[in-house]
Amino acid sequence: MSLAIAVLLSGNGSNLQAIIDAIQRNEIDVTIKIVISDRLDAKGLERAKKANIATTFIEPAKYQSRLQFDEALSDILDRHKIQLTVLAGFMRILSDPFVSSRLGKLINIHPSLLPKYKGLNTHQRAIDAGETEHGASVHFVTPKIDDGPVILQASVSIVKNDNSEQLKQKVHQVEHVIYPKVLDWISKARIELKNNRVFFDGEVIDNENRSFTV
Ligand code: GRF
């Protein structure tokens, strides 16, 4: 049976688009039940509507606390019988109870080669540090931000005079490859989180043997 996912986003939604495209090309057996945003003007909502996917805007200002927002979010996910929640540029921090109740069923994509460059502004920080490599990581979400076990990474080269916008574009290209790939694995039950470690086909993996260069 197709894996039922929700995609959460706050902005452009190019990763959502990559997932929609992979589904439409029959490359992955995944159904996006709903796209949820905390911003009404997120371009990702338009992309979802164009693909006839249900959308919901949850307005943060309506909730008195993060916990209440996350409860509303949980209700929506439960109502749609979501098996995997996919963060794709969702700019809100999720509360510990929300994350803890969905361990192994909540993933994120982060624009760096984790554990390097957690947080924001990763591209400029990598350039400023004189890195020759940068990239993206898909990881399980755990209560500590950008800290959960990595499932798959892809790297790109930083060449002389790359600015952060150019680097961001390069990283986006690889993000659009690895996020659908991970969804494919999860839909086939090839990936599992156990004791804070990632298992692939029943064997524990580390970052080195699950990364590739594009
Ligand atoms: C991506 O770079 C992702 O790594 C980060 O947010 C960005 C979302 O981009 N978490 P888009 O909205 O999917 O284009």
Side-chain angles (χ1 to χ4, degrees), residues 111-112 116-117 121-135 158 167:
S112 79
K116 284 186 171 176
Y117 307 111
N121 210 9
T122 61
H123 310 301
Q124 191 59 53
R125 285 159 62 207
I127 292 171
D128 292 347
E131 300 278 4
T132 54
E133 268 204 326
H134 187 47
I158 302 181
L167 188 54

PDB file of all heavy atoms in Angstrom, residues 111-112 116-117 121-135 158 167:
ATOM      1  N   PRO A 111      20.039  21.775   4.715  1.00  0.00           N
ATOM      2  CA  PRO A 111      21.024  22.117   3.686  1.00  0.00           C
ATOM      3  C   PRO A 111      22.461  22.203   4.197  1.00  0.00           C
ATOM      4  O   PRO A 111      23.098  23.252   4.132  1.00  0.00           O
ATOM      5  CB  PRO A 111      20.519  23.481   3.181  1.00  0.00           C
ATOM      6  CG  PRO A 111      19.858  24.082   4.364  1.00  0.00           C
ATOM      7  CD  PRO A 111      19.280  22.945   5.160  1.00  0.00           C
ATOM      8  N   SER A 112      22.971  21.094   4.685  1.00  0.00           N
ATOM      9  CA  SER A 112      24.399  21.012   5.033  1.00  0.00           C
ATOM     10  C   SER A 112      24.745  19.540   5.187  1.00  0.00           C
ATOM     11  O   SER A 112      23.859  18.684   5.253  1.00  0.00           O
ATOM     12  CB  SER A 112      24.717  21.740   6.351  1.00  0.00           C
ATOM     13  OG  SER A 112      24.359  20.935   7.460  1.00  0.00           O
ATOM     14  N   LYS A 116      27.817  19.073  10.389  1.00  0.00           N
ATOM     15  CA  LYS A 116      28.301  20.438  10.173  1.00  0.00           C
ATOM     16  C   LYS A 116      27.131  21.380   9.910  1.00  0.00           C
ATOM     17  O   LYS A 116      26.155  20.988   9.255  1.00  0.00           O
ATOM     18  CB  LYS A 116      29.206  20.475   8.945  1.00  0.00           C
ATOM     19  CG  LYS A 116      30.581  19.907   9.177  1.00  0.00           C
ATOM     20  CD  LYS A 116      31.440  20.120   7.952  1.00  0.00           C
ATOM     21  CE  LYS A 116      32.875  19.767   8.248  1.00  0.00           C
ATOM     22  NZ  LYS A 116      33.707  19.873   7.050  1.00  0.00           N
ATOM     23  N   TYR A 117      27.261  22.597  10.321  1.00  0.00           N
ATOM     24  CA  TYR A 117      26.339  23.687   9.989  1.00  0.00           C
ATOM     25  C   TYR A 117      24.871  23.394  10.275  1.00  0.00           C
ATOM     26  O   TYR A 117      24.039  23.363   9.375  1.00  0.00           O
ATOM     27  CB  TYR A 117      26.529  24.136   8.524  1.00  0.00           C
ATOM     28  CG  TYR A 117      27.959  24.461   8.243  1.00  0.00           C
ATOM     29  CD1 TYR A 117      28.728  23.653   7.411  1.00  0.00           C
ATOM     30  CD2 TYR A 117      28.575  25.541   8.872  1.00  0.00           C
ATOM     31  CE1 TYR A 117      30.071  23.917   7.196  1.00  0.00           C
ATOM     32  CE2 TYR A 117      29.913  25.812   8.663  1.00  0.00           C
ATOM     33  CZ  TYR A 117      30.648  24.995   7.824  1.00  0.00           C
ATOM     34  OH  TYR A 117      31.968  25.259   7.636  1.00  0.00           O
ATOM     35  N   ASN A 121      21.406  29.788   7.531  1.00  0.00           N
ATOM     36  CA  ASN A 121      22.479  30.456   6.787  1.00  0.00           C
ATOM     37  C   ASN A 121      23.657  29.532   6.474  1.00  0.00           C
ATOM     38  O   ASN A 121      24.821  29.952   6.497  1.00  0.00           O
ATOM     39  CB  ASN A 121      22.963  31.650   7.639  1.00  0.00           C
ATOM     40  CG  ASN A 121      23.470  32.775   6.789  1.00  0.00           C
ATOM     41  OD1 ASN A 121      23.312  32.744   5.565  1.00  0.00           O
ATOM     42  ND2 ASN A 121      24.085  33.751   7.418  1.00  0.00           N
ATOM     43  N   THR A 122      23.350  28.296   6.208  1.00  0.00           N
ATOM     44  CA  THR A 122      24.400  27.275   6.105  1.00  0.00           C
ATOM     45  C   THR A 122      25.346  27.512   4.925  1.00  0.00           C
ATOM     46  O   THR A 122      26.535  27.229   5.024  1.00  0.00           O
ATOM     47  CB  THR A 122      23.775  25.876   5.946  1.00  0.00           C
ATOM     48  OG1 THR A 122      23.000  25.859   4.742  1.00  0.00           O
ATOM     49  CG2 THR A 122      22.888  25.522   7.122  1.00  0.00           C
ATOM     50  N   HIS A 123      24.797  28.018   3.823  1.00  0.00           N
ATOM     51  CA  HIS A 123      25.624  28.153   2.613  1.00  0.00           C
ATOM     52  C   HIS A 123      26.731  29.200   2.826  1.00  0.00           C
ATOM     53  O   HIS A 123      27.897  28.945   2.539  1.00  0.00           O
ATOM     54  CB  HIS A 123      24.753  28.516   1.419  1.00  0.00           C
ATOM     55  CG  HIS A 123      23.555  27.630   1.271  1.00  0.00           C
ATOM     56  ND1 HIS A 123      23.665  26.268   1.109  1.00  0.00           N
ATOM     57  CD2 HIS A 123      22.224  27.887   1.316  1.00  0.00           C
ATOM     58  CE1 HIS A 123      22.461  25.731   1.040  1.00  0.00           C
ATOM     59  NE2 HIS A 123      21.566  26.694   1.177  1.00  0.00           N
ATOM     60  N   GLN A 124      26.329  30.340   3.342  1.00  0.00           N
ATOM     61  CA  GLN A 124      27.319  31.407   3.579  1.00  0.00           C
ATOM     62  C   GLN A 124      28.347  30.959   4.619  1.00  0.00           C
ATOM     63  O   GLN A 124      29.540  31.230   4.485  1.00  0.00           O
ATOM     64  CB  GLN A 124      26.602  32.680   4.048  1.00  0.00           C
ATOM     65  CG  GLN A 124      27.514  33.900   4.064  1.00  0.00           C
ATOM     66  CD  GLN A 124      28.098  34.205   2.697  1.00  0.00           C
ATOM     67  OE1 GLN A 124      27.371  34.333   1.715  1.00  0.00           O
ATOM     68  NE2 GLN A 124      29.438  34.288   2.609  1.00  0.00           N
ATOM     69  N   ARG A 125      27.872  30.260   5.622  1.00  0.00           N
ATOM     70  CA  ARG A 125      28.796  29.818   6.675  1.00  0.00           C
ATOM     71  C   ARG A 125      29.822  28.825   6.115  1.00  0.00           C
ATOM     72  O   ARG A 125      31.011  28.869   6.468  1.00  0.00           O
ATOM     73  CB  ARG A 125      28.019  29.196   7.837  1.00  0.00           C
ATOM     74  CG  ARG A 125      27.324  30.269   8.694  1.00  0.00           C
ATOM     75  CD  ARG A 125      26.171  29.697   9.492  1.00  0.00           C
ATOM     76  NE  ARG A 125      26.562  28.683  10.427  1.00  0.00           N
ATOM     77  CZ  ARG A 125      25.752  27.688  10.852  1.00  0.00           C
ATOM     78  NH1 ARG A 125      24.512  27.587  10.398  1.00  0.00           N
ATOM     79  NH2 ARG A 125      26.183  26.828  11.713  1.00  0.00           N
ATOM     80  N   ALA A 126      29.385  27.966   5.213  1.00  0.00           N
ATOM     81  CA  ALA A 126      30.323  26.997   4.620  1.00  0.00           C
ATOM     82  C   ALA A 126      31.347  27.724   3.749  1.00  0.00           C
ATOM     83  O   ALA A 126      32.543  27.395   3.778  1.00  0.00           O
ATOM     84  CB  ALA A 126      29.551  25.966   3.800  1.00  0.00           C
ATOM     85  N   ILE A 127      30.888  28.719   3.005  1.00  0.00           N
ATOM     86  CA  ILE A 127      31.820  29.504   2.161  1.00  0.00           C
ATOM     87  C   ILE A 127      32.812  30.255   3.049  1.00  0.00           C
ATOM     88  O   ILE A 127      34.032  30.196   2.833  1.00  0.00           O
ATOM     89  CB  ILE A 127      31.044  30.500   1.265  1.00  0.00           C
ATOM     90  CG1 ILE A 127      30.219  29.744   0.213  1.00  0.00           C
ATOM     91  CG2 ILE A 127      31.995  31.494   0.600  1.00  0.00           C
ATOM     92  CD1 ILE A 127      29.256  30.610  -0.577  1.00  0.00           C
ATOM     93  N   ASP A 128      32.292  30.910   4.065  1.00  0.00           N
ATOM     94  CA  ASP A 128      33.161  31.705   4.953  1.00  0.00           C
ATOM     95  C   ASP A 128      34.209  30.845   5.648  1.00  0.00           C
ATOM     96  O   ASP A 128      35.304  31.316   5.951  1.00  0.00           O
ATOM     97  CB  ASP A 128      32.321  32.426   6.022  1.00  0.00           C
ATOM     98  CG  ASP A 128      31.446  33.520   5.413  1.00  0.00           C
ATOM     99  OD1 ASP A 128      31.679  33.871   4.237  1.00  0.00           O
ATOM    100  OD2 ASP A 128      30.527  33.993   6.108  1.00  0.00           O
ATOM    101  N   ALA A 129      33.851  29.589   5.879  1.00  0.00           N
ATOM    102  CA  ALA A 129      34.796  28.700   6.569  1.00  0.00           C
ATOM    103  C   ALA A 129      35.822  28.112   5.611  1.00  0.00           C
ATOM    104  O   ALA A 129      36.697  27.340   6.022  1.00  0.00           O
ATOM    105  CB  ALA A 129      34.027  27.584   7.263  1.00  0.00           C
ATOM    106  N   GLY A 130      35.700  28.436   4.317  1.00  0.00           N
ATOM    107  CA  GLY A 130      36.659  27.929   3.340  1.00  0.00           C
ATOM    108  C   GLY A 130      36.461  26.464   3.000  1.00  0.00           C
ATOM    109  O   GLY A 130      37.379  25.784   2.539  1.00  0.00           O
ATOM    110  N   GLU A 131      35.253  25.962   3.187  1.00  0.00           N
ATOM    111  CA  GLU A 131      34.972  24.556   2.853  1.00  0.00           C
ATOM    112  C   GLU A 131      35.088  24.343   1.335  1.00  0.00           C
ATOM    113  O   GLU A 131      34.805  25.245   0.546  1.00  0.00           O
ATOM    114  CB  GLU A 131      33.534  24.186   3.263  1.00  0.00           C
ATOM    115  CG  GLU A 131      33.217  24.336   4.722  1.00  0.00           C
ATOM    116  CD  GLU A 131      33.674  23.138   5.551  1.00  0.00           C
ATOM    117  OE1 GLU A 131      34.311  22.228   4.999  1.00  0.00           O
ATOM    118  OE2 GLU A 131      33.402  23.152   6.765  1.00  0.00           O
ATOM    119  N   THR A 132      35.474  23.144   0.951  1.00  0.00           N
ATOM    120  CA  THR A 132      35.468  22.827  -0.478  1.00  0.00           C
ATOM    121  C   THR A 132      34.272  21.938  -0.824  1.00  0.00           C
ATOM    122  O   THR A 132      33.998  21.667  -1.974  1.00  0.00           O
ATOM    123  CB  THR A 132      36.762  22.092  -0.883  1.00  0.00           C
ATOM    124  OG1 THR A 132      36.905  20.949  -0.022  1.00  0.00           O
ATOM    125  CG2 THR A 132      37.973  22.997  -0.745  1.00  0.00           C
ATOM    126  N   GLU A 133      33.590  21.487   0.218  1.00  0.00           N
ATOM    127  CA  GLU A 133      32.407  20.633   0.040  1.00  0.00           C
ATOM    128  C   GLU A 133      31.265  21.116   0.914  1.00  0.00           C
ATOM    129  O   GLU A 133      31.478  21.583   2.030  1.00  0.00           O
ATOM    130  CB  GLU A 133      32.739  19.228   0.521  1.00  0.00           C
ATOM    131  CG  GLU A 133      33.258  18.309  -0.521  1.00  0.00           C
ATOM    132  CD  GLU A 133      32.984  16.864  -0.100  1.00  0.00           C
ATOM    133  OE1 GLU A 133      33.029  16.578   1.106  1.00  0.00           O
ATOM    134  OE2 GLU A 133      32.701  16.057  -0.995  1.00  0.00           O
ATOM    135  N   HIS A 134      30.077  20.959   0.397  1.00  0.00           N
ATOM    136  CA  HIS A 134      28.871  21.304   1.161  1.00  0.00           C
ATOM    137  C   HIS A 134      27.816  20.295   0.699  1.00  0.00           C
ATOM    138  O   HIS A 134      28.120  19.403  -0.094  1.00  0.00           O
ATOM    139  CB  HIS A 134      28.514  22.753   0.821  1.00  0.00           C
ATOM    140  CG  HIS A 134      27.408  23.352   1.612  1.00  0.00           C
ATOM    141  ND1 HIS A 134      27.319  23.263   2.978  1.00  0.00           N
ATOM    142  CD2 HIS A 134      26.322  24.089   1.216  1.00  0.00           C
ATOM    143  CE1 HIS A 134      26.237  23.919   3.376  1.00  0.00           C
ATOM    144  NE2 HIS A 134      25.612  24.419   2.325  1.00  0.00           N
ATOM    145  N   GLY A 135      26.585  20.431   1.156  1.00  0.00           N
ATOM    146  CA  GLY A 135      25.603  19.462   0.676  1.00  0.00           C
ATOM    147  C   GLY A 135      24.310  19.502   1.438  1.00  0.00           C
ATOM    148  O   GLY A 135      23.938  20.527   2.025  1.00  0.00           O
ATOM    149  N   ILE A 158      32.302  23.172  -3.554  1.00  0.00           N
ATOM    150  CA  ILE A 158      32.302  24.640  -3.529  1.00  0.00           C
ATOM    151  C   ILE A 158      33.508  25.065  -4.361  1.00  0.00           C
ATOM    152  O   ILE A 158      34.639  24.675  -4.059  1.00  0.00           O
ATOM    153  CB  ILE A 158      32.446  25.187  -2.097  1.00  0.00           C
ATOM    154  CG1 ILE A 158      31.306  24.669  -1.213  1.00  0.00           C
ATOM    155  CG2 ILE A 158      32.461  26.713  -2.119  1.00  0.00           C
ATOM    156  CD1 ILE A 158      31.341  25.186   0.224  1.00  0.00           C
ATOM    157  N   LEU A 167      25.535  28.495  -4.470  1.00  0.00           N
ATOM    158  CA  LEU A 167      25.706  27.268  -3.698  1.00  0.00           C
ATOM    159  C   LEU A 167      24.353  26.689  -3.295  1.00  0.00           C
ATOM    160  O   LEU A 167      24.127  25.471  -3.370  1.00  0.00           O
ATOM    161  CB  LEU A 167      26.570  27.573  -2.464  1.00  0.00           C
ATOM    162  CG  LEU A 167      27.012  26.387  -1.636  1.00  0.00           C
ATOM    163  CD1 LEU A 167      27.721  25.337  -2.477  1.00  0.00           C
ATOM    164  CD2 LEU A 167      27.934  26.861  -0.500  1.00  0.00           C
TER     165      LEU A 167
END
